[in-house]
Amino acid sequence: MRILTRAYAEAAGCGILAAAAGVAVAELAATLLRPESSPVIGIGSAVVDATPTPVKEYAVRTVGTYDKPLLLAGIVTVLLVVAAGLGLLARRRRRTGQAGFAALGLAAAAAVLTRPATEPRDVLPSLLAGAVGALILGWLTAAAAATEVAGEGNQSRRKFLLTAGAIAGVSVAAGGLTTLVRRSLAGSAARSRDAITLPAPTQPAGPRITTPGFYTPVGEFYRVDTALTVPRVDVDRWRLRIHGLVDRPTTLDFDELLSLGLVERDITLNCVSNEVGGPYIGTTRWLGLLLAPLLREAGVHPDADQVVARSVDGMTLGTPTATLLDGRDAMLAVGMDGSPLPPEHGFPVRMLTPGLFGYAGSCKWITELELARFGDFDAYWVRRGWARQAPVKTASRIDRPAAFAKVPPGDVTIAGVAWAQGRGISAVELQVDDGPWEQTDLLPSPSRDTWVQWRHQWHAARGGHTLRVRATDGTGRTQPEQRATPFPDGATGWHTLAVTVT
């Protein structure tokens, strides 16, 4: 019985080891070929695309930016379980188990081919993974079978253990080499970014707001996107193509973009996935090229009501053309808080559209602007049920005190932010328990495209209390009380929290 149990464990181990070797070799090949060709990334991206919107929203709401590593870890875990099963199957039907590995490679290749920016060669790492896994499973299974025939303490068993150890060592070495190559590539990209000297803006922003908390530190700026790995773009090879329904298609490189004259603006950016009172919003000083003159120079056709932005990884965003031409400071941003964009925020160039949620106007790692019609093309998120028109909704948030905080009796400062990019904020009101709405003090802000900080002095009495906030935008409309989830066009409702005065 003990020997049989060990045989089953070894069979499962053979499958896991074969999978580890296949993935290790494939990831090294993908790193040398194109990171986007990784079979793990290809499967993960396909899973993201197939995941229902409510599940995606739950993941963003629950784990935030940890959703991507958790997804990849889950994929690897499932792969190891399947590989163990194929190892057990191969113990009795070796060819069938090997065919299972080959099928996994074909499935990964198919997933990679579903990516919008894929190239034919991108299937090679996935096919290599399937072939290596099948080959090694055959070797290990044959060696394990020989040990069963020969019995305990024999040369066959030592050969099996040496073979398994060698395969494990090669897999670890391949993984280590992959890590070294990726670090080298990342270091090269970082050095390329560090070598950039951004020109002074032809239209500088005004004095910086000095109130603590107005600007979001770059390292704390939220990140919500579908990229499972951050694209590393060679700035010397970067190009922006403007085409479609235009009279004069054009292509710009990075130096040409910088030479056209940059503007500097304080702009608040927020994600449509942000719940009421949520963290997916931030304000910083951006540097970039205004989009409207660039589009007008290209000669936009009258019927081109949509600008389709494409990322280096194939992501598509659709922005109403009229929005980009209505006078707002929509731009191709190259700088963030005085430095080139960080890779995770779109280096070398991203699109930014004040007053629109990010999914409809803020394409990262942008490489293409196509003038098109809404009736002819639906961008990535629109195909998944999100609204085509995505204006930011009037909203407000209590930042201090925190929910369920304990505060001393007496004068307590309640503070937060409110936003309605493109319209501005005219008033913010606070309600304690079911008392009257009271006007708060609004702090200075540079424009209607940023959030407004507010604060209010509250004379706190002992006991439990409920704090509630609402804002009124520059058009005189007060944010609605009714709660709505982010899907399909942004959350609504008054941010409400409980505190205890002790």
Side-chain angles (χ1 to χ4, degrees), residues 139-140 142-144 146-147 154-167:
W139 286 348
L140 291 174
T147 66
N154 58 80
Q155 188 69 26
S156 296
R157 179 157 187 77
R158 286 192 291 272
K159 181 179 179 181
F160 166 72
L161 293 175
L162 287 173
T163 301
I167 292 171

Side-chain angles (χ1 to χ4, degrees), residues 242-250 295 298-301 371:
I242 303 174
H243 67 107
L245 300 177
V246 295
D247 296 327
R248 295 172 291 279
T250 187
L295 294 177
V300 178
H301 291 186
L371 277 296

